[in-house]
Amino acid sequence: MQQESIIFKEVELLVQPSHREMKNRKDQTPRELFSIEHANLLRKGEEWVRNTATQCMLVATIIATVVFAAIFSVPAGDNDEEGIPTHWRNVVFRMFAVSEAMALSFSLISILIYLSILTAPYVEKEFLSLLPLRLVFGLLTLCISIATMMLAFVSSFFLAYNHHRSNFIPIISAVSVTFPLFVFWYLQSELLRDLSYLSFRFMFSTKPGKGWKTQIKLY
């Protein structure tokens, strides 16, 4: 739907302004004919965007719930006399605290972005750049929340097991928890690239007809 809308806009810039509102034999303007011909595609696009936003919002909500609960679970406990965390002077503990805060913040931002997608009116012009860019920013913030959640886990793991002579277990754990992040990025990179390319190309294209032939090649 985004590609079709961009091509329509590009072709609209190529014709004379007086021809843009001309009607055919069925008394239809180009915009009206486009809406009629792409009604089914618009419905499928709305369904896909809603399903994607719903599933990603569910993941972001789970991350926010887990991170919020982990904030109050201080690694290695508190000092009984002063009531402060035992490793509060440790750099790793500070990394844990910062990564927990970032994970909670970006997961909440992702939830708000997907909520705005679910409440969007889903008109044709929204598929040009608004909805795709919201999906891109939602996936990026979700990826950052996953990365910072993994960083918080690694930090707490080091605080819990670093008192041993060998760092073999913490290092292996730190390497293994990075796999989900790479898998997520690998699976979503193509979608992010296509949505970002088409959206920003349309937004920053100032010359009439610029990029039209490139969009045709996408088919």
Side-chain angles (χ1 to χ4, degrees):
M1 188 62 196
Q2 184 188 28
Q3 294 177 3
E4 293 287 340
S5 299
I6 290 176
I7 293 175
F8 180 84
K9 283 292 183 180
E10 293 286 350
V11 175
E12 189 178 40
L13 293 174
L14 293 175
V15 302
Q16 298 180 5
S18 58
H19 294 169
R20 296 175 184 173
E21 297 299 327
M22 293 183 63
K23 298 183 178 181
N24 58 9
R25 297 178 180 178
K26 297 182 179 180
D27 199 32
Q28 297 171 335
T29 62
R31 170 56 65 181
E32 293 173 347
L33 181 61
F34 179 85
S35 300
I36 295 174
E37 293 293 331
H38 293 81
N40 187 41
L41 185 62
L42 179 64
R43 180 183 58 80
K44 291 182 178 180
E46 178 182 351
E47 182 180 354
W48 179 83
V49 171
R50 284 187 180 276
N51 291 335
T52 303
T54 301
Q55 299 301 323
C56 292
M57 186 176 178
L58 177 62
V59 176
T61 303
I62 294 174
I63 293 176
T65 304
V66 172
V67 171
F68 184 81
I71 291 177
F72 301 99
S73 302
V74 180
D78 298 331
N79 191 321
D80 295 333
E81 296 180 358
E82 300 178 0
I84 60 177
T86 306
H87 297 290
W88 74 277
R89 294 181 181 273
N90 195 324
V91 177
V92 179
F93 177 79
R94 297 180 183 180
M95 184 183 300
F96 165 80
V98 172
S99 58
E100 284 283 317
M102 291 181 62
L104 180 62
S105 176
F106 279 100
S107 61
L108 292 177
I109 293 174
S110 181
I111 292 173
L112 293 176
I113 293 175
Y114 289 123
L115 183 62
S116 68
I117 293 176
L118 293 175
T119 56
Y122 291 94
V123 293
E124 293 176 4
K125 62 180 181 180
E126 301 240 345
F127 282 89
L128 281 171
S129 59
L130 184 60
L131 285 176
L133 286 179
R134 286 183 181 179
L135 277 176
V136 169
F137 290 130
L139 286 174
L140 288 177
T141 52
L142 182 59
C143 184
I144 294 174
S145 65
I146 293 175
T148 50
M149 182 182 64
M150 294 294 102
L151 181 60
F153 174 79
V154 172
S155 302
S156 63
F157 213 93
F158 267 94
L159 289 174
Y161 292 95
N162 198 34
H163 58 278
H164 296 290
R165 293 289 183 180
S166 176
N167 291 327
F168 178 76
I169 295 179
I171 292 176
I172 293 298
S173 302
V175 174
S176 62
V177 297
T178 58
F179 289 155
L181 180 63
F182 286 112
V183 170
F184 177 82
W185 182 257
Y186 174 76
L187 294 177
Q188 303 298 330
S189 59
E190 185 175 356
L191 176 62
L192 286 171
R193 182 191 61 206
D194 293 341
L195 292 176
S196 302
Y197 174 77
L198 292 175
S199 301
F200 285 108
R201 187 178 182 86
F202 170 76
M203 292 176 61
F204 297 103
S205 179
T206 55
K207 295 182 180 180
K210 181 179 180 182
W212 178 51
K213 294 182 179 180
T214 303
Q215 302 301 335
I216 295 294
K217 292 180 181 179
L218 291 175
Y219 288 86

